[in-house]
């Protein structure tokens, strides 16, 4: 019987033999869309679940006190009671040497600032202070539902229209007409009335402009033309104000102004779960401001904006104003809409460091306003936050030159 073969063992390699090459690693699997989708799905589900459970996990707390920055700004301004509503919040910084235009010095030039979406007069507080230190009478006015202005009252629901004959027959039966005729002597079937016109939104440009006009009169700014400063989405309302009251405006300055391209991402707050989460977590809100509005915004200032937006109906007001933006507004068409508007001196201040896309948008504005003075600044979409000295200096220089060109002595 033949002997069994010895077991195969790994023989020790010869000392002089070259080492065997290791097998190549398997090729990496390509990342497909199908394999990436579950990750994003689970991430979105986790964020949504966290936002839903957050109010139940954290104990209920009493309303937090207002941040000192916001409290001081509230004390410096006031809400103007206007008829008709809504009221608007206004804050004014007076030049020290002129006593508000009535002292022994030369009369102060009057500047009226309309802040953009969610920015509010709070973001312009340092611009106002800087302007007043340069001898300018500066006022910032929060548009309806924006900043610290109260939320406009809800528009009344349209009256229900009469039911059509066909609908009433389908709902009540064909014999209902005979019974109604016997009981009342009237035929119940009435033709449906035409639908009532939808109520105008208080955030619409012409409605906001009318509120600005009432506020300017309440502030006593109607005694002389004002130099209008329009920031971000306040462009449409400010343009409507200048068109309706051309004699009340001396010049127009646009600060990164676009009628339908807001810096503040209001769409985030139109998503209930996500909006509540961002408003609840200070770091998220601050990161959103730095990403979209101003990279230099500090924690204290961001907390003041967050506290302002957490007020009753404030976030909803921002979303309503965002939805009511005039997407059909054309800057060039407005500039040529009347002889009074064409004669207005105009200055455009635009961020030259925010993004290439925003710089391209500025070039479109410059092309629409070929006779306007165009200047790039070093700040972001909210330059009143991170370049306020630069902005106030440019505004003061332009306002002074406009008054000199008009032979402007303030009445």
């Amino acid at each position: 019987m033949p002997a069994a073969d010895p077991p195969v063992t790994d023989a020790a390699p010869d000392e002089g033999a070259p080492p065997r090459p290791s097998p190549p690693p398997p090729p990496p699997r390509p990342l497909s869309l199908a394999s990436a989708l579950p990750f994003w799905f689970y991430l979105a589900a986790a964020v949504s679940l966290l936002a839903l459970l957050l109010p139940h996990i954290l104990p209920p707390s009493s309303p937090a006190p207002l941040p000192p920055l916001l409290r001081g700004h509230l004390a410096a301004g006031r809400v103007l009671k206007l008829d008709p509503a809504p009221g608007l919040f206004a804050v004014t910084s007076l030049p020290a040497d002129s006593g508000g235009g009535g002292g022994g010095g030369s009369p102060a030039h009057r500047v009226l600032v309309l802040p953009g979406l969610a920015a509010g007069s709070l973001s312009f507080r340092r611009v106002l202070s800087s302007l007043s230190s340069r001898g300018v009478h500066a006022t910032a006015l929060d548009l309806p539902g924006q900043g610290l202005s109260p939320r406009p009252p809800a528009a009344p629901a349209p009256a229900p229209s009469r039911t059509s004959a066909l609908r009433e027959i389908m709902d009540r039966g064909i014999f209902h007409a005979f019974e109604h005729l016997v009981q009342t002597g009237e035929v119940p079937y009435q033709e449906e009335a035409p639908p009532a016109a939808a109520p105008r939104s208080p955030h619409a440009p012409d409605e906001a402009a009318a509120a600005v006009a009432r506020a300017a009169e309440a502030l006593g700014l109607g005694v002389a033309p004002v130099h209008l400063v329009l920031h971000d989405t306040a462009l449409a309302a400010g343009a409507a104000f200048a068109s309706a009251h051309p004699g009340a405006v001396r010049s127009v300055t646009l600060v990164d102004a676009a009628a339908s391209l807001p810096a503040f991402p209001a769409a985030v707050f139109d998503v209930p779960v996500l909006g509540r989460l961002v408003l609840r977590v200070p770091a998220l809100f601050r990161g959103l401001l730095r990403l979209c509005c101003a990279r230099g915004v500090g924690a204290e200032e961001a907390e003041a904006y967050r506290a302002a937006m957490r007020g009753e109906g404030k976030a909803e007001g921002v979303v309503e104003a965002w939805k009511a933006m005039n997407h059909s507004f054309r800057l060039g068409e407005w500039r040529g809409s009347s002889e009074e508007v064409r004669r207005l001196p105009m200055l455009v201040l635009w961020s030259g460091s925010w993004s290439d896309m925003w710089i391209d948008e500025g070039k479109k504005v410059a092309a629409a306003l070929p006779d306007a003075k165009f200047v790039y600044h070093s700040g972001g979409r909210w330059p009143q936050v991170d370049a306020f000295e630069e902005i106030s200096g440019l505004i003061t220089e332009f306002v002074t030159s406009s008054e000199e060109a008009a032979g402007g002595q303030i009445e």
Side-chain angles (χ1 to χ4, degrees), residues 116-118 143-146 201-205 233 259 262 266 314-327:
L117 185 70
L143 293 175
Q146 300 295 300
S201 168
H203 304 287
T233 55
K314 291 298 184 181
E316 293 82 358
V318 169
V319 173
E320 290 171 4
W322 168 63
K323 292 182 177 180
M325 288 187 307
N326 184 5
H327 294 274

Side-chain angles (χ1 to χ4, degrees), residues 95 97-98 101-109 135 409:
D97 58 348
S98 65
S106 60
H109 306 318
Q409 286 297 324

